[in-house]
Amino acid sequence: MRKTEEQLVASWRAEERPQPEGWDFSDLADRMTESQVPWNLTAIYRASLADATSVLDMGTGGGEFLRSFGDALPPDTTATEGWSPNLAAAREALGPLAIEVLEYTAPDEDVDSVDMPFSSNRFDLVLNRHESFSPRELARVLAERGQFITQQVGGDEAHELEAWLGHHRELPHVNLATMRRELETAGFQVVEGAEHEGAYEFRDVAALVAYLQLVPWETPDDFTVDRYADQLLALHRETAGGPVRLTRKRFWLRAVRQ
Ligand SMILES: C[S@@+](CC[C@H](N)C(=O)[O-])C[C@H]1O[C@@H](n2cnc3c(N)ncnc32)[C@H](O)[C@@H]1O
């Protein structure tokens, strides 16, 4: 039996929840697929950790990804996290590995406005998956010949949301070419890097709504299922109740402090 519009909206409403702490999409695994990037960030991190003596992981989230390298981390490993629910989660996850988690984030609107809570030349490897950063501060806390490895979400990721929901926060300057220039200006040499465009595929609008609960910065500030019911119903009709596709953008680079 076909669901009425009211039943559809009610089923989407049932997906609404506060953003959980940590960084884990496994609850959605059977309702979404993500294309994979052609590089292997885990292998890149591992190879670099083999030679590192003092490591920083920026924006560690709930510490899940850093913890997966537990056997490869030097005793001098530190993390930062700026979102308070994740700061507590990261401290709990990384405390048993004796990894200190300091409160810090580079504000998107002015990445240089807050100093990193470290002395100059403090690290020989800085890791950063999906976190903003200040190239100037990074150059300060990395020792000469120290490495910075980052994977970032491209600024025009999920641009389809703009047509579907109206406002969408696009960050067109977040791409490999611009980040390379910014790092080079700050005194780095970018020695490797690549960019990839792929897709997320959600089983239906309900799965998309569930995903959007985990990434609230992708939706308008006033987003709720009820407020955006007309737009979501239009998307449901456009996709005939079937899969919904969103562009997925990733890039990575390795930079060496000169
Ligand atoms: C996308 S997460 C990546 C976390 C981790 N580096 C990883 O790769 O698993 C990047 C940063 O955004 C933070 N973050 C997540 N939700 C946030 C929110 N609602 N507001 C501000 N920051 C948030 C995370 O805590 C983390 O520091």
Side-chain angles (χ1 to χ4, degrees), residues 2-14:
R2 295 255 315 264
K3 281 186 178 167
T4 64
E5 291 196 345
E6 260 170 51
Q7 285 169 325
L8 278 170
V9 173
S11 71
W12 299 334
R13 204 182 288 127

Side-chain angles (χ1 to χ4, degrees), residues 84-157:
S84 52
N86 277 352
L87 182 62
R91 283 181 172 152
E92 202 176 313
L94 299 175
L97 300 181
I99 298 173
E100 191 182 7
V101 187
L102 296 176
E103 185 170 8
Y104 167 77
T105 196
D108 276 333
E109 58 286 0
D110 183 2
V111 289
D112 292 332
S113 60
V114 183
D115 290 347
M116 292 177 78
F118 303 109
S119 56
S120 300
N121 308 311
R122 169 71 180 76
F123 300 104
D124 57 20
L125 176 63
V126 175
L127 306 171
N128 173 321
R129 189 173 76 158
H130 305 176
E131 174 73 339
S132 59
F133 65 92
S134 153
R136 191 195 69 195
E137 274 295 280
L138 197 59
R140 184 181 66 76
V141 303
L142 261 170
E144 202 177 324
R145 306 304 300 162
Q147 288 198 37
F148 175 56
I149 300 174
T150 187
Q151 176 176 283
Q152 295 281 328
V153 176
D156 51 352
E157 155 128 337

Side-chain angles (χ1 to χ4, degrees), residues 19 23 59-61 65 81 83 86 129-131 217:
Q19 187 195 357
W23 197 244
T60 199
F65 192 49
E81 175 53 40
W83 189 48
N86 277 352
R129 189 173 76 158
H130 305 176
E131 174 73 339
W217 52 88

Side-chain angles (χ1 to χ4, degrees), residues 74-247:
D76 182 7
T77 297
T78 307
T80 56
E81 175 53 40
W83 189 48
S84 52
N86 277 352
L87 182 62
R91 283 181 172 152
E92 202 176 313
L94 299 175
L97 300 181
I99 298 173
E100 191 182 7
V101 187
L102 296 176
E103 185 170 8
Y104 167 77
T105 196
D108 276 333
E109 58 286 0
D110 183 2
V111 289
D112 292 332
S113 60
V114 183
D115 290 347
M116 292 177 78
F118 303 109
S119 56
S120 300
N121 308 311
R122 169 71 180 76
F123 300 104
D124 57 20
L125 176 63
V126 175
L127 306 171
N128 173 321
R129 189 173 76 158
H130 305 176
E131 174 73 339
S132 59
F133 65 92
S134 153
R136 191 195 69 195
E137 274 295 280
L138 197 59
R140 184 181 66 76
V141 303
L142 261 170
E144 202 177 324
R145 306 304 300 162
Q147 288 198 37
F148 175 56
I149 300 174
T150 187
Q151 176 176 283
Q152 295 281 328
V153 176
D156 51 352
E157 155 128 337
H159 58 81
E160 294 83 354
L161 290 172
E162 186 167 2
W164 299 340
L165 301 179
H167 162 81
H168 172 56
R169 193 181 65 116
E170 279 213 29
L171 301 164
H173 60 286
V174 184
N175 58 58
L176 179 58
T178 306
M179 196 165 278
R180 174 191 290 268
R181 258 199 318 277
E182 289 170 354
L183 282 164
E184 287 174 351
T185 303
F188 287 87
Q189 186 182 1
V190 175
V191 293
E192 267 186 281
E195 209 154 15
H196 179 72
E197 176 168 333
Y200 299 90
E201 198 171 284
F202 302 94
R203 191 165 71 192
D204 50 20
V205 172
L208 173 69
V209 171
Y211 172 75
L212 293 175
Q213 308 305 303
L214 306 179
V215 290
W217 52 88
E218 293 286 6
T219 51
D221 289 343
D222 66 345
F223 181 79
T224 64
V225 165
D226 283 322
R227 272 193 212 112
Y228 284 77
D230 289 345
Q231 291 91 326
L232 293 171
L233 285 165
L235 179 61
H236 174 81
R237 284 190 293 272
E238 190 184 316
T239 52
V244 180
R245 197 177 172 286
L246 276 185
T247 299

Side-chain angles (χ1 to χ4, degrees), residues 25-33:
F25 292 81
S26 53
D27 280 359
L28 266 165
D30 58 342
R31 295 199 288 160
M32 74 179 273
T33 60

